[in-house]
Amino acid sequence: MGQNRIHHHHRGFIANLGYFFTRWGATGHAPLSNMFEFTTAFGMTLVAGFIVIYALYKTPVVGMVVLPVALLIIAFASMFPSEVSPLIPALQSNWLAIHVSTVVLAEGVLAISAAAGLIYLLKVVDLNKKSKQRFWLEAIMYSLVLVVGFVVASSYFTLTGYQSDFTYVDKEGAAAEITYHMPAIFGMHEYEQLSEDKMTPLMETPAVVNAGKLTTVTWSLIVGTILYWLIRLIARKRIAAIFKPFVKNVNLQLMDEIGYRAVIIGFPLFSLGALIFAMIWAQIAWSRFWGWDPKEVWALVTWLFYAAYLHLRLGKGWHGEKSAWLGVIGFAIIMFNLVAVNLIIAGLHSYA
Amino acid sequence: MSLTDLSANLLYVAFFAYLIAAIVFGGAVKGNKEGSFQSEGRWGKIAFIITIAALSPT
């Protein structure tokens, strides 16, 4: 019976690899080239990391946190265009597969550290007492609801077929066009509205900001906040408190160990993918190893953060709750790098 | 059905399988009254198998 189960697992992984390489064959490149493909792969590597952890520690509670987060990530991914399109010239390289697959794997593993940290915090933070910890734990739950807000807002405006066209001047000073799929809260630099009877932007942004994507983020904030308060009103307690009964039997030492192990595996992978491989490819594609592109800067910030995590844990004895907070903050930085840097700030990595 | 359509449909399947696995894991955790943090139990095993099955389409 046990052996049969193991065989099922092996078949699942072989099918997964089969799917990945079939899509690779169909598109002619590694399916990691835009926000849809990268974010879907991120959800997948997160679950893959969990499977390894589960096989080692048999801890269902980690699955109870990781799987909903993976669901949110996949739902978030599905809001981006999923059509197969030819690669832009800068991406036509074998380094796409090498660099991006290492990064996505590293981020999936590092996210396990955040999941273990979140479980740790849900157990130790006293929700009946006013404290900074209670505030920030609830802020984490609020940010997860914001992702649901993004999915709800995107789905609603897609279903209603909302479209509004604008012309604007990009950061190189060239004329360009953009179509908003949500009512425009922010206008692009020196915009001119082409569609009639559609919402006029409340404010114009500088050329370095993608106002279309900023509008999407703002709508997600609005809808997510409404959803958050609806949940609070219905449950009549903080969202963190809803999860308290699920973590009462959690072994804190084990969660601390899982969080730490995830970082010691994820950190070297991230160093390799996001810095070393990235720099090699940058040299090939753009004739420089480093150019202070927003994505490069935030990859460095992420790397420095996890280096500090290891330093503080190994050198200063930051175990337990402090380590758990660091794991969660690391994930927040990864998500900021994925969402804000890719979508809002115009740079060399704005492919979606 | 093209490969692209197939992958999109399989992503839906994976999404709902993850959803079911998450609920089953929640049930496994709630049902674990022994206080043993590493006791996966029957529901934990079922949820794990669903997770792996879901991973294959994505």
Side-chain angles (χ1 to χ4, degrees), chain A residues 107 294-295 298-299 302 332-342:
Chain A
E107 291 187 347
K295 194 77 175 175
W298 279 94
T302 311
I333 296 174
I334 288 174
M335 290 311 289
F336 179 82
N337 200 357
L338 177 66
V339 180
V341 177
N342 267 47

Side-chain angles (χ1 to χ4, degrees), chain A residues 52-70:
Chain A
V52 174
I53 293 294
Y54 191 85
L56 290 172
Y57 298 105
K58 303 283 183 292
T59 48
V61 70
V62 180
M64 197 198 76
V65 172
V66 165
L67 289 175
V69 173

Side-chain angles (χ1 to χ4, degrees), chain B:
Chain B
M1 187 193 288
S2 71
L3 264 180
T4 314
D5 293 337
L6 181 65
S7 71
N9 290 338
L10 288 171
L11 192 58
Y12 279 120
V13 174
F15 185 86
F16 286 107
Y18 282 152
L19 188 62
I20 293 165
I23 294 166
V24 179
F25 270 124
V29 173
K30 203 92 189 344
N32 177 16
K33 296 200 191 298
E34 294 158 19
S36 168
F37 57 89
Q38 267 184 300
S39 168
E40 61 168 341
R42 187 169 26 131
W43 289 107
K45 285 174 187 164
I46 291 168
F48 186 47
I49 291 166
I50 296 169
T51 307
I52 291 183
L55 193 64
S56 57
T58 58

Side-chain angles (χ1 to χ4, degrees), chain A residues 99 103 107 267 270-271 273-276 278-279 290-308 333-334 337 341 349:
Chain A
H99 159 58
V103 172
E107 291 187 347
F267 181 68
F270 190 81
S271 310
L275 293 180
I276 299 170
M279 283 193 270
W290 193 264
W292 299 106
D293 176 67
K295 194 77 175 175
E296 293 173 351
V297 172
W298 279 94
L300 180 64
V301 169
T302 311
W303 186 85
L304 287 171
F305 179 84
Y306 281 104
I333 296 174
I334 288 174
N337 200 357
V341 177
H349 285 80

